[in-house]
Amino acid sequence: EPLRVALQNGEPREASGKLAVANGTVTLDYTHTGKTAGLTLDLAGIDLAKLAAVAEQPGLTGKVGMNLAAKEAAGKVTATMELAMTGLRSEDFPSIDPISIRLSGDLKDNRLKLKSDFDGIDLERTALNADIPVTVSLTAPSASLASDGPLDVTAVLVGDLGRIWPLLPLPEHQMTGRFEIDATARGSGKPVFDVAFTMNGVKLVHRDDIEVLASADIKATGDEAGGKISGGLTVNRAELNLNAALPPSVASVEVENDPGRKEEPAETAPAYPMTLDLYLDVPGQAFVRGRGLDSEWAGRLDVKGTADQPIVTGSLNAVRGQLDLVGKSFDIKSSSVSFGGGVSLDPKLNIAGVHTTDDLTVTAEVVGVASKPEIRLSSVPALPRDEVLSRVLFGTGKGNLGPLEAAQLAAA
């Protein structure tokens, strides 16, 4: 059925028709008589694959249907809407089952109330509700958000993070565990947001070099002036494998700059001000292993300041540990990695390993900041550094070394 449009003084008065679109149909019926108007719009069996191909975004499949009925009388518009998208699937996520989304809406007194639900994501609970101020006219066809009316949007997601993780663009990581998101946005010309995120026993990182199991309770609030992130993360268990994390060598890359090239400063919008009140709690069970090291760490870090300039205080302390160097075992004692709250996030190191023989106690220390550490060697009873190294490396004093051993000592 062809689309027919009747105009009066350049404005539409009637429009009707039924069109074949993307293997489906679009049916329209619009009338405008004086101060009243009516509109019905039906979409049936629209093939998303066809639309995606036209938009040069292939790989999306599914069907779309919608029923919209609206009328205007005495300057007031009322409407109902039902939108269904079924069998949604993307070739970018072949492991995800087809998803269906249903959205219903009611318009009355310039307030649009929306409700939605989802199938196929396999979460315990999903909900999205919105109450939005709008300005709509059918007699002079137009629709827009109203900036002076109160806004209220809530969203809830509860379930296993592993079920939705494949939807996120983070292929190098894998997260599992139970999570809950409760988000609210409100405002009347000045929007306010409130988002709560909790998770329990979530595997944050799962790679060959590091694995972290953690729980979190984090809240973000704010308005047009700025926001705040508060709460914290508790590491239930962590494993860092230095053998997998650190390469045997670092490749050098030649970088050549063009002296005649002038860099134009990039124009960036002012960052949204966000203050921080966070903590990272590591009660124990955080292990660093590999390259001769076997250690457990615990501690707490507090993060204040702003997102642009975080201020970190606190320390991580060695619970126990052992470091094997040149075939000798050093027990890690009274060691810490601490943050003093300065502008720089370069932590201060105070790591000590102790090796004991029948007549000598040797302490090797790594001190200073992480970007420029200093290694110290001392002994009880006090001996010169070369003598200490000789006894640790070869089990005898420097004067008893042969030519080859003396050369090795000099290199050390």
Side-chain angles (χ1 to χ4, degrees), residues 299-364:
R300 176 184 168 110
L301 301 178
D302 292 298
V303 184
K304 308 288 186 180
T306 66
D308 288 337
Q309 194 172 80
I311 298 174
V312 182
T313 58
S315 64
L316 299 176
N317 307 295
V319 177
R320 62 170 185 84
Q322 182 174 292
L323 177 63
D324 291 334
L325 290 174
V326 293
K328 308 297 181 181
S329 294
F330 286 75
D331 293 325
I332 296 177
K333 305 287 187 181
S334 302
S335 298
S336 65
V337 178
S338 58
F339 293 80
V343 176
S344 173
L345 296 180
D346 203 5
K348 182 179 180 181
L349 306 180
N350 184 14
I351 301 174
V354 178
H355 172 70
T356 303
T357 66
D358 292 339
D359 58 352
L360 189 68
T361 298
V362 180
T363 301

Side-chain angles (χ1 to χ4, degrees), residues 270-288:
Y272 179 73
M274 185 72 75
T275 60
L276 305 176
D277 186 11
L278 299 165
Y279 68 84
L280 173 66
D281 187 25
V282 185
Q285 300 288 302
F287 302 98
V288 181

Side-chain angles (χ1 to χ4, degrees), residues 158-176:
V158 181
D160 184 353
L161 193 57
R163 302 296 302 178
I164 65 171
W165 191 254
L167 294 172
L168 304 179
L170 297 169
E172 298 299 323
H173 304 274
Q174 179 64 41
M175 293 178 67
T176 60

Side-chain angles (χ1 to χ4, degrees), residues 106-367:
D106 289 283
L107 174 63
K108 185 178 180 181
D109 298 328
N110 291 329
R111 305 291 303 180
L112 176 60
K113 296 183 178 181
L114 298 172
K115 293 184 178 180
S116 68
D117 60 84
F118 307 82
D119 287 331
I121 302 180
D122 197 20
L123 296 178
E124 296 175 26
R125 185 156 57 102
T126 59
L128 174 62
N129 299 310
D131 189 347
I132 305 171
V134 296
T135 300
V136 179
S137 174
L138 295 180
T139 55
S142 63
S144 63
L145 295 175
S147 60
D148 57 348
L151 171 75
D152 193 337
V153 180
T154 61
V156 176
L157 291 175
V158 181
D160 184 353
L161 193 57
R163 302 296 302 178
I164 65 171
W165 191 254
L167 294 172
L168 304 179
L170 297 169
E172 298 299 323
H173 304 274
Q174 179 64 41
M175 293 178 67
T176 60
R178 192 178 187 278
F179 79 101
E180 180 172 342
I181 298 176
D182 190 343
T184 302
R186 293 188 177 92
S188 180
K190 297 180 179 180
V192 176
F193 66 87
D194 189 335
V195 180
F197 174 73
T198 60
M199 63 183 188
N200 295 295
V202 171
K203 188 172 288 186
L204 291 180
V205 186
H206 182 48
R207 303 189 325 219
D208 291 339
D209 57 340
I210 185 170
E211 183 173 308
V212 179
L213 189 69
S215 300
D217 188 355
I218 297 174
K219 189 173 185 179
T221 58
D223 54 26
E224 81 286 353
K228 179 180 180 180
I229 303 177
S230 58
L233 179 75
T234 299
V235 177
N236 306 121
R237 183 180 175 87
E239 291 268 0
L240 174 61
N241 183 351
L242 298 179
N243 291 326
L246 300 176
S249 61
V250 178
S252 298
V253 178
E254 292 290 338
V255 178
E256 184 174 322
N257 294 319
D258 183 358
R261 180 181 179 183
K262 295 182 179 180
E263 294 290 342
E264 295 293 335
E267 294 185 4
T268 58
Y272 179 73
M274 185 72 75
T275 60
L276 305 176
D277 186 11
L278 299 165
Y279 68 84
L280 173 66
D281 187 25
V282 185
Q285 300 288 302
F287 302 98
V288 181
R289 298 187 171 110
R291 300 294 176 99
L293 177 64
D294 184 357
S295 60
E296 179 185 357
W297 296 78
R300 176 184 168 110
L301 301 178
D302 292 298
V303 184
K304 308 288 186 180
T306 66
D308 288 337
Q309 194 172 80
I311 298 174
V312 182
T313 58
S315 64
L316 299 176
N317 307 295
V319 177
R320 62 170 185 84
Q322 182 174 292
L323 177 63
D324 291 334
L325 290 174
V326 293
K328 308 297 181 181
S329 294
F330 286 75
D331 293 325
I332 296 177
K333 305 287 187 181
S334 302
S335 298
S336 65
V337 178
S338 58
F339 293 80
V343 176
S344 173
L345 296 180
D346 203 5
K348 182 179 180 181
L349 306 180
N350 184 14
I351 301 174
V354 178
H355 172 70
T356 303
T357 66
D358 292 339
D359 58 352
L360 189 68
T361 298
V362 180
T363 301
E365 295 177 288
V366 180
V367 297

Side-chain angles (χ1 to χ4, degrees), residues 360-391:
L360 189 68
T361 298
V362 180
T363 301
E365 295 177 288
V366 180
V367 297
V369 294
S371 61
K372 194 176 181 180
E374 179 184 349
I375 300 176
R376 298 175 181 172
L377 198 63
S378 60
S379 67
V380 177
L383 295 173
R385 185 176 186 274
D386 285 353
E387 185 67 23
V388 173
L389 280 174
S390 176
R391 295 196 182 196

Side-chain angles (χ1 to χ4, degrees), residues 50-97:
K50 294 288 186 180
L51 296 181
V54 172
E56 298 183 352
Q57 297 292 331
L60 182 65
T61 59
K63 297 286 187 179
V64 176
M66 184 181 74
N67 303 111
L68 171 66
K71 62 181 181 180
E72 179 175 350
K76 295 183 177 181
V77 179
T78 58
T80 60
M81 179 200 68
E82 296 287 340
L83 172 67
M85 294 182 285
T86 59
L88 297 179
R89 189 167 223 169
S90 171
E91 65 180 15
D92 294 331
F93 308 104
S95 62
I96 298 296
D97 293 333

